[in-house]
Amino acid sequence: MCRDLSELADYARVDNRQFRMLKSGTPGPFTFILHATKEVPRRVSHPSRRTIGLRVPDHKVLQALLDELGQPLLATTLIPPGEGEPLNDSGEIRVRFEKQLQAIVCAGACPREPTTVVDLSEDEPVVVREGRGDPAQLGL
């Protein structure tokens, strides 16, 4: 997760067409797959394609956390092993994982529906997963 488009551009190669699409979908409920720059450690990019999924969230607490950190944050949806639904209640997460986590930020429940994922690493954009973001907002 990045604070804004300028920070996102530090970690992904973005051409003018991609930038226009990113601008229309950020901040918001979209994750974009882009070609990673050399700033991205190999262990967090796709091993054979050197791509990375990046997003600029529109959640006020996440934006404040990103501002405080002053750098992007590696994040994932918490779906416990053997379960199919993500956890989004900080109280439940604390009860189940308190001894395994350094910190839990209580900012209210996150939406259960995931972000819409758009692959911009090829010639034409591809919606990989439909979620909260409407692809029509991006012209797709």
Side-chain angles (χ1 to χ4, degrees):
M1 288 189 290
C2 297
R3 290 178 281 187
D4 53 34
L5 285 180
S6 63
E7 187 171 71
L8 184 144
D10 291 339
Y11 300 95
R13 294 191 316 262
V14 178
D15 63 26
N16 289 335
R17 178 186 58 87
Q18 292 166 330
F19 181 81
R20 285 190 298 277
M21 190 171 289
L22 292 166
K23 190 171 181 180
S24 68
T26 59
F30 296 95
T31 299
F32 297 96
I33 299 172
L34 297 154
H35 287 284
T37 66
K38 293 183 190 291
E39 295 296 316
V40 176
R42 285 200 175 275
R43 69 179 182 267
V44 298
S45 67
H46 188 281
S48 60
R49 296 179 58 206
R50 287 286 293 150
T51 57
I52 187 165
L54 295 171
R55 68 180 293 239
V56 178
D58 55 356
H59 192 283
K60 291 181 193 292
V61 174
L62 280 175
Q63 278 292 336
L65 181 60
L66 289 166
D67 283 341
E68 183 66 27
L69 291 171
Q71 62 187 7
L73 182 65
L74 180 63
T76 187
T77 302
L78 176 58
I79 303 175
E83 297 182 31
E85 291 295 317
L87 295 181
N88 70 342
D89 178 83
S90 59
E92 183 179 353
I93 293 168
R94 181 176 182 186
V95 167
R96 292 178 62 179
F97 297 101
E98 176 171 39
K99 295 184 185 335
Q100 299 170 43
L101 301 172
Q102 291 182 345
I104 298 170
V105 176
C106 182
C110 297
R112 286 200 179 268
E113 188 176 13
T115 60
T116 294
V117 178
V118 180
D119 188 340
L120 298 179
S121 68
E122 300 299 328
D123 291 335
E124 292 298 319
V126 175
V127 176
V128 176
R129 176 184 74 198
E130 285 200 44
R132 290 190 325 270
D134 182 0
Q137 180 180 337
L138 306 175
L140 300 175

